[in-house]
Amino acid sequence: MKFVFDLDGTICFKGKPLSNGIVQCLKDLNKENVMFASARPIRDMLPVLPKDFHSYTLIGGNGSLIYKNGKLLYARTFTKDQLQTVLQLIEEQEATFLIDGDWNYAYTGPIDHPIVNNIDQGKLAQQVSVEQLSSVVKVLIVTMNDYVTFVDQLQQLDITVHEHCNERLIDLSPNHIHKWNALQTLGITENSYIAFGNDANDISMFQHAAYAVMIDYHDRLAPFANEQIAYQTNGEQAIVDKIRALAQTGMLKTN
């Protein structure tokens, strides 16, 4: 049984690398059975993973990027017209953003915003203007005049919109881009993996998993979870124990 792990808020916390306990637990699993699927672009996934995990299968940008054995295998980008429309709405909303190409990025948000701590921690990329990005795989809206109105406007477009309500961030990807789409691109079939996640962008991954474990609580993700682990109460040891237990039993989804 394969395991697919979201990163932030699931197995790494507060932007810090995976703990020694989590790393050792994952090393005990077969490398070919472990994948990581994050909203982060690949560039920002690498610094929170140990170097010997960099050759694992990595799904970035909520499914717009796939990286394996140290190489970018897949990148789904916005069309020129889609990007132009999004940038027009950004201008109207006086919004700031983090826009990711397949490696470099453009950022216009506040320099003291918490998201800054997670951008290019490994100094692997370059900060450039939007015009200098040859392609765009993800747009994160950081600040805007009217959150509710902006979400409504964006949802009218032919793109994928993920809300991070607690942080009041809006995540945009090309249409039909989500974690399950990326798993299918890799040949992963329904009910053939166990998923760990914590946010609404994990819904598609949970819907098709054999078993799904939600870390802490998210009201939109909860209906698709088989089990919840309260990280704030039980800490990382509970996550490690659950991974080990599921690995031993090969637990399948129950109806």
Side-chain angles (χ1 to χ4, degrees), residues 78-88 99 130 136 139:
F78 286 96
T79 67
K80 184 178 179 180
D81 288 345
Q82 287 173 332
L83 183 60
Q84 185 175 2
T85 302
V86 169
L87 290 174
Q88 183 178 341
I99 294 183
V130 176
V136 170
V139 177

Side-chain angles (χ1 to χ4, degrees), residues 119-185:
I119 300 174
D120 196 23
Q121 292 172 309
K123 306 302 180 188
L124 302 173
Q126 290 183 319
Q127 181 175 349
V128 299
S129 67
V130 176
E131 293 74 22
Q132 290 175 289
L133 293 171
S134 58
S135 61
V136 170
V137 299
K138 192 165 81 79
V139 177
L140 180 69
I141 307 299
V142 180
T143 64
M144 70 293 299
N145 287 337
D146 186 330
Y147 180 89
V148 174
T149 298
F150 202 14
V151 168
D152 183 62
Q153 291 173 322
L154 292 166
Q155 288 177 336
Q156 307 308 311
L157 306 180
D158 189 30
I159 61 175
T160 299
V161 179
H162 291 294
E163 295 180 66
H164 299 273
C165 300
N166 292 339
E167 300 91 352
R168 295 187 70 78
L169 301 172
I170 310 171
D171 226 330
L172 313 177
S173 301
N175 206 13
H176 306 303
I177 286 297
H178 44 70
K179 294 179 180 181
W180 168 237
N181 177 279
L183 289 170
Q184 288 179 293
T185 300

Side-chain angles (χ1 to χ4, degrees), residues 1-4 26-36 55-57 68-69 186 188 192-193:
M1 183 67 66
K2 295 184 182 297
F3 284 80
V4 186
L26 298 183
K27 283 185 176 180
D28 290 341
L29 303 174
N30 186 310
K31 172 184 173 180
E32 293 303 314
N33 289 335
V34 177
M35 292 176 282
F36 302 99
S55 61
Y56 282 43
T57 300
K68 187 174 182 179
N69 294 323
L186 287 163
I188 305 302
S192 68
Y193 65 94

